[in-house]
Amino acid sequence: MSKAIKIALNLLCLRPDKQTGIEHYARAVLGSVRLPKDFEVTLYCGSDVHADAALGCQGNAGEDRDANGQHPELRGRDNLQVRHWFTGPTYTRILIEMFVLAVSTWRADIVFSINNFGPLFGKPGQRRLVVIHDVWFLSEKYDAGYLSKMLFVFLITLSKWRNHHFFTPTQYSRDEIVRTLGIPKSRISITPLCLLNGPTRISDWDDGYFLLVGSSRKNKNIDRGLQGYLEYFRMGGTCRLVVIGVYDESFSEHMQTLVSQYECDTVLFEGYVEQERKWQLLKRCRGLLFPSLYEGYGIPVIEALALAKPALVSAGTSCEEVLNDLGVVVNGLDVSSIATGCRRLETFDKSSIISRFAEIQERILRCDVSQEILEREIVSGQS
């Protein structure tokens, strides 16, 4: 009788109150992976994370096994072992993932880590797989201090040498990983993100506003995005602006000051909103403003496309790749380019999106493409 394959899933980075690309990847891609029922799977997650929710569980465990003895999805496995760990802030969590967790996963045959860092060592023959969503922390635009950046460079370099295969959501992000880390393309598989749930239908509502989505992080480029809108307003633009996302107090005050300087009364700050409210705002907007300078994928872009809404994105980013030609591409470092882009977005002809909506749905709803790539690499070691 053959020995059962032991798989460890490192999801320690997931946070229950976030809707980032990492959480989305866990629910939409990893949760849909199918593994033979005799595989022993152990999931490691934070102390406040519910495993079923993290994997996008929609129903009862263990339903609908197929004739080959496989579970339909990882999120439905009834023999999934879950271990909750307290990890603390980012730096502490990364060190725990790379060194402490390695002790617990030593005997695993395969270790899969969902966000850039994972155990650095294990028993002889162990395969270690890592998803690298982006390498923003290696960019010259990264907004942390010098010591923080050097620490990330050191740790990601260790990860490069101690892991066997990597996954990333776009061609752009793979090219950046090759360029900055020197990892051969043959060791990197592209696993695009998809929409697990949510509305996917043409929305004809238009309440005459743009929706600006982001956070205080420098790569989100919200400062220039807001200034671009305000210049558009100064040039006579008629669309209002709704701003959502997580912003610290000082950045929020900065945005309010900018709006006051332009004497603009068409900007509404809603701050953080739940996913349901975000969908409502997307349904009724004229278009999405997402001028981020660096993303692994750009979830808001596919959410906008799912409702046949055009988006404004920055050139030379993964968002441009995801958007294709279904919106407006600007120089994200140039406020005047963003302002001009807002005028183009205001009058964007949605017929190009509507005529290709079936193609768009096929692209953004197909989780099986990435699922099959992960399955091949996990089960057979061949991507």
Side-chain angles (χ1 to χ4, degrees):
M1 184 176 179
S2 60
K3 188 177 180 181
I5 302 296
K6 298 179 184 295
I7 298 180
L9 303 177
N10 168 23
L11 307 186
L12 291 181
C13 66
L14 298 186
R15 295 157 294 179
D17 58 341
K18 299 295 183 181
Q19 298 289 335
T20 70
I22 303 165
E23 284 78 20
H24 196 94
Y25 194 99
R27 294 193 303 270
V29 179
L30 182 60
S32 64
V33 166
R34 299 158 62 94
L35 297 174
K37 67 176 183 179
D38 58 348
F39 275 37
E40 296 180 4
V41 184
T42 303
L43 186 150
Y44 295 84
C45 58
S47 56
D48 54 352
V49 173
H50 192 284
D52 285 343
L55 294 174
C57 188
Q58 301 292 315
N60 297 322
E63 290 183 339
D64 301 329
R65 295 178 181 81
D66 67 17
N68 296 320
Q70 289 186 315
H71 289 261
E73 294 178 331
L74 180 61
R75 55 177 149 255
R77 288 184 81 92
D78 53 6
N79 63 344
L80 180 70
Q81 298 183 49
V82 180
R83 297 184 181 178
H84 293 277
W85 285 35
F86 177 78
T87 57
T90 300
Y91 294 114
T92 303
R93 186 256 302 165
I94 291 174
L95 293 175
I96 289 173
E97 286 184 282
M98 300 181 79
F99 299 99
V100 182
L101 184 60
V103 177
S104 186
T105 61
W106 176 272
R107 294 182 179 276
D109 299 289
I110 301 165
V111 179
F112 179 92
S113 299
I114 203 167
N115 185 33
N116 297 355
F117 304 99
L120 291 180
F121 50 86
K123 71 176 186 179
Q126 182 184 84
R127 282 181 57 76
R128 291 178 291 277
L129 316 173
V130 177
V131 181
I132 299 181
H133 295 268
D134 62 69
V135 284
W136 160 245
F137 47 83
L138 299 181
S139 167
E140 62 277 2
K141 305 182 188 74
Y142 183 58
D143 55 347
Y146 177 79
L147 291 178
S148 295
K149 184 171 183 176
M150 289 301 100
L151 177 60
F152 275 124
V153 170
F154 172 70
L155 294 177
I156 199 67
T157 301
L158 283 179
S159 182
K160 175 181 80 169
W161 292 114
R162 296 298 301 170
N163 289 287
H164 301 89
H165 199 81
F166 301 88
F167 305 92
T168 198
T170 61
Q171 178 69 53
Y172 173 83
S173 54
R174 184 172 75 170
D175 291 344
E176 284 293 286
I177 292 168
V178 171
R179 182 182 68 83
T180 57
L181 294 176
I183 299 174
K185 282 187 177 182
S186 59
R187 291 176 59 197
I188 309 170
S189 296
I190 298 175
T191 50
L193 281 172
C194 58
L195 285 180
L196 177 62
N197 48 44
T200 53
R201 57 182 177 273
I202 296 171
S203 174
D204 294 323
W205 282 336
D206 181 355
D207 285 356
Y209 63 84
F210 298 136
L211 183 65
L212 178 62
V213 180
S215 71
S216 304
R217 290 182 61 189
K218 191 174 181 181
N219 65 302
K220 298 299 183 182
N221 202 28
I222 293 299
D223 189 24
R224 293 189 186 93
L226 178 58
Q227 289 184 63
Y229 169 80
L230 293 171
E231 285 296 327
Y232 153 85
F233 168 80
R234 177 179 285 175
M235 294 187 297
T238 59
C239 280
R240 294 171 289 115
L241 181 69
V242 177
V243 183
I244 62 173
V246 180
Y247 304 96
D248 60 40
E249 185 175 351
S250 62
F251 194 82
S252 295
E253 291 175 355
H254 168 69
M255 290 192 293
Q256 295 281 2
T257 300
L258 276 177
V259 172
S260 298
Q261 289 172 350
Y262 277 79
E263 298 181 347
C264 177
D265 60 358
T266 59
V267 179
L268 174 65
F269 295 99
E270 285 211 15
Y272 173 77
V273 297
E274 297 293 341
Q275 188 63 37
E276 183 178 353
R277 174 59 177 161
K278 183 180 178 184
W279 281 120
Q280 292 173 350
L281 290 169
L282 277 169
K283 286 178 186 177
R284 295 180 175 275
C285 74
R286 178 71 55 86
L288 171 73
L289 298 188
F290 196 65
S292 176
L293 299 174
Y294 211 115
E295 295 288 325
Y297 194 78
I299 296 298
V301 177
I302 62 170
E303 290 176 334
L305 291 177
L307 295 167
K309 299 291 185 177
L312 177 151
V313 302
S314 294
T317 66
S318 60
C319 295
E320 181 182 11
E321 177 183 335
V322 173
L323 183 65
N324 202 339
D325 58 350
L326 301 173
V328 176
V329 179
V330 301
N331 178 356
L333 296 174
D334 184 355
V335 170
S336 63
S337 177
I338 296 174
T340 303
C342 287
R343 294 193 72 98
R344 291 165 55 201
L345 190 65
E346 180 183 359
T347 59
F348 188 85
D349 183 4
K350 281 181 57 177
S351 63
S352 60
I353 301 179
I354 294 172
S355 64
R356 295 162 58 186
F357 195 66
E359 169 195 332
I360 294 169
Q361 286 183 306
E362 173 74 8
R363 175 161 64 95
I364 66 179
L365 292 176
R366 288 200 60 188
C367 298
D368 59 322
V369 175
S370 297
Q371 165 205 332
E372 291 170 3
I373 294 172
L374 285 184
E375 287 171 3
R376 287 201 303 269
E377 184 60 39
I378 292 174
V379 176
S380 63
Q382 297 178 357
S383 62

